[in-house]
Amino acid sequence: MAKQLHVRTRTLQVANRNLNATTAAATSTAKSSPKHVYGVLVLIISALLGYSFLWDTSVISPLLNHQSDNLDSIEEIEGRTRSPRLEDTFFHPYGNNSCGITFAKKFLSDEEIEHLLNIVASTGGWVSSPTGGKQFQVPKGQLSRDLVNVANIDPVVYRIEERIANATGIPVHADEDMIAIARIMSRGSSPRGGHFVPFGLHHESDTRPNRARTVLVYMHAPAMGGRTVFPLCESVAALPQSTQTDMKAALGTLWGDAATGYSRHAAFDPTSDHPFNDYLAAACQAGQPIQAGSAIMFDSMYRGSRRPYKRTWHAGCNVISGTKIILQKFKELPFDERDPSQADFEREKYQSYTPNLVKRDIL
């Protein structure tokens, strides 16, 4: 009981800070403009709703197992989980790609990565993905929502979300998925010496047509393999350009619309003797090795438009040796900016942050 009360006390520091800040802002607004009394009441009621949310036992219970941080204050968590150097989080042109893909040298610090992995461990560890099998694992808490509930009030997660929002130009909002983490293991060193794409190719808007931009962070680098390749964006010098042209045409036939649930995925047998597999194998061997903490960012829509950017089909190459852990954030357009014909598509499946906690000011 003492531990539960202690955890709630620490957790409610966030709510108290928000409530005090909101009340102060509301009082200031009322003094400066008596006409805004109605708005003041709305602000205070919203803050109280966020405060009461934290007393819900279904939300607070997963935190009782999150022992590494829950017994510390927000300030203590922040103090030992430093951010990377600001200049290392900036995105710059990446490789020889022609699709505007950019790269950040150190988007997450080692302490931030350790903190996220501790959250995964304390909310159930890793389980096989429903679609990727035992070689593609996801946090158990991501499926049970325990991790979602912890992330809702974790200051480091919030800091990372804000960093991604600043990089992409799309704010954190309730109509998008929270950050996703995955652990990928090797599928062996054959065929092609292990240089193949085990999960096929996909566009980021596959079944999610409102995804506009993605940030992919490498939390743990494998000893060999595991690159992310964009076959329509990167040239492979050893192979004819016509192979890339043929691949673009073939992928164009798989671009689904509303009738197919916006399916945009290409599955194929990596053992087949086909020029596309040769092309992907060469792409998997090109470029620089993965480094922990680094990140890439790419577009699924033209910026300033709802029109899909169809060239950023991509794939994760097989991990030949070691383990790869990634963090992905799929930035979607806010609801009021979407094409009305697909604005609400699969909205009920989102694992998003609680709206009244997204706007908190805890840093």
Side-chain angles (χ1 to χ4, degrees), residues 173-177 332-336 338 347 350 352:
H173 61 87
D175 298 314
E176 64 178 5
D177 285 323
E332 303 204 22
L333 293 178
F335 186 77
D336 58 358
R338 298 181 180 182
R347 191 182 190 190
Y350 293 156
S352 62

Side-chain angles (χ1 to χ4, degrees), residues 13 68 152 160:
Q13 288 179 354
S68 63
N152 257 320
I160 293 168

Side-chain angles (χ1 to χ4, degrees), residues 262-343:
Y262 300 98
S263 174
R264 294 158 186 179
H265 179 265
F268 47 83
D269 181 3
T271 66
S272 67
D273 186 14
H274 193 284
F276 290 174
N277 277 329
D278 295 336
Y279 193 86
L280 292 168
C284 285
Q285 297 177 71
Q288 307 237 346
I290 294 171
Q291 306 210 347
S294 65
I296 58 174
M297 179 168 61
F298 56 93
D299 293 335
S300 305
M301 289 183 184
Y302 284 93
R303 300 204 178 197
S305 168
R306 298 173 183 152
R307 190 160 59 98
Y309 187 68
K310 296 184 178 182
R311 295 182 60 200
T312 49
W313 286 76
H314 58 283
C317 297
N318 176 51
V319 172
I320 300 173
S321 176
T323 300
K324 179 174 75 171
I325 302 177
I326 57 173
L327 177 150
Q328 297 180 90
K329 177 64 180 186
F330 309 110
K331 295 299 292 184
E332 303 204 22
L333 293 178
F335 186 77
D336 58 358
E337 296 180 21
R338 298 181 180 182
D339 182 339
S341 68
Q342 59 191 36

Side-chain angles (χ1 to χ4, degrees), residues 18-54:
N18 287 336
L19 182 58
N20 292 338
T22 303
T23 304
T27 303
S28 175
T29 301
K31 289 179 179 178
S32 62
S33 178
K35 294 180 181 180
H36 292 161
V37 172
Y38 177 75
V40 170
L41 291 174
V42 171
L43 283 171
I44 294 176
I45 291 171
S46 297
L48 288 171
L49 287 173
Y51 187 90
S52 63
F53 171 81
L54 291 172

